[in-house]
């Protein structure tokens, strides 16, 4: 037995080095920004698969772009404004998320899905209706609500995945 004891005491356990990464607001924000760009692209793809409304259905009469512009827009202007809002909000929200995760890592719950669900609750259930940029949640068609939830969960997961790849945690 002493041979076994001396044999096991000679074994050295090699562990990978621990990465002691300190919170860094700007690196987190940059990683989140990059994640938000990828997440915004993924959100658009999901909206192609699960559109907020059927192809023949008309968009709500008073769309957010027209509210922001203050006058009716032609179809090309509506689409350009919608995409402008989408491509600015996605990366900016991702940057805020990436910076926040640096100091509160639990925000990454469920690989970013919780972030997407929270974002849906904040924007589509509360903020946009309060600002008059969308109908109250109980007046929105079921397909539109489902599309928003699905696309924002995917946005959250993709944003978190890219942020984690860049930031290493």
């Amino acid at each position: 037995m002493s041979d076994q004891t001396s044999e096991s005491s000679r074994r050295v356990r090699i562990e990978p080095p621990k990465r002691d990464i300190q919170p860094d607001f700007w690196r987190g924000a940059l990683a989140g920004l990059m994640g938000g760009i990828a997440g915004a692209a993924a959100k658009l793809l999901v909206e192609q698969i699960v559109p907020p409304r059927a192809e023949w259905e008309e968009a709500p009469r008073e769309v957010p772009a027209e509210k922001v512009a203050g006058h009716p827009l032609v179809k090309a202007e509506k689409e350009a404004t919608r995409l402008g809002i989408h491509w600015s909000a996605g990366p900016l929200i991702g940057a805020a998320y990436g910076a926040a995760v640096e100091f509160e890592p639990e925000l990454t719950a469920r690989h970013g899905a919780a972030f997407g669900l929270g974002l849906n609750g904040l924007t589509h259930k509360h903020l946009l209706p309060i600002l008059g940029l969308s109908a109250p949640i109980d007046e929105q068609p079921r397909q539109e609500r489902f599309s928003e939830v699905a696309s924002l969960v995917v946005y959250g997961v993709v944003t978190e995945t890219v942020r984690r790849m860049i930031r290493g945690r």
Side-chain angles (χ1 to χ4, degrees):
M1 187 155 193
S2 64
D3 286 338
Q4 288 178 343
T5 305
S6 63
E7 179 69 27
S8 64
S9 64
R10 284 186 266 166
R11 291 185 195 166
V12 177
R13 185 173 173 163
I14 300 174
E15 294 183 22
K18 291 184 180 180
R19 296 179 70 183
D20 188 26
I21 301 175
Q22 296 298 316
D24 185 322
F25 178 88
W26 294 110
R27 288 181 189 206
L30 182 59
L33 178 89
M34 300 306 288
I37 292 170
K43 184 178 186 309
L44 281 179
L45 288 174
V46 171
E47 288 172 349
Q48 294 299 311
I49 298 166
V50 184
R53 64 196 58 79
E55 201 173 294
W56 62 87
E57 290 180 316
E58 188 141 339
R61 193 174 57 81
E62 200 161 38
V63 295
E66 289 179 335
K67 279 256 194 190
V68 171
H71 58 82
L73 302 174
V74 297
K75 187 175 182 175
E77 291 174 321
K78 286 179 188 177
E79 184 63 12
T81 304
R82 184 185 75 79
L83 289 174
I85 292 168
H86 177 84
W87 285 109
S88 354
L92 289 174
I93 292 168
Y97 168 74
V101 164
E102 289 290 309
F103 300 95
E104 192 57 55
E106 280 113 32
L107 292 174
T108 64
R110 305 281 184 225
H111 306 286
F115 164 57
L117 286 171
L119 186 58
N120 179 67
L122 177 67
T123 57
H124 293 281
K125 287 185 180 178
H126 299 292
L127 187 61
L128 294 177
I130 286 170
L131 294 174
L133 298 176
S134 74
I137 193 75
D138 56 342
E139 293 177 20
Q140 295 174 10
R142 185 182 321 184
Q143 184 172 348
E144 185 174 343
R145 290 191 318 255
F146 178 76
S147 175
E148 286 302 330
V149 169
S151 64
L152 283 168
V153 167
V154 169
Y155 167 81
V157 170
V158 170
T159 299
E160 169 55 21
T161 300
V162 172
R163 183 210 64 81
R164 183 172 294 210
M165 287 172 44
I166 292 171
R167 197 65 183 108
R169 60 179 180 144

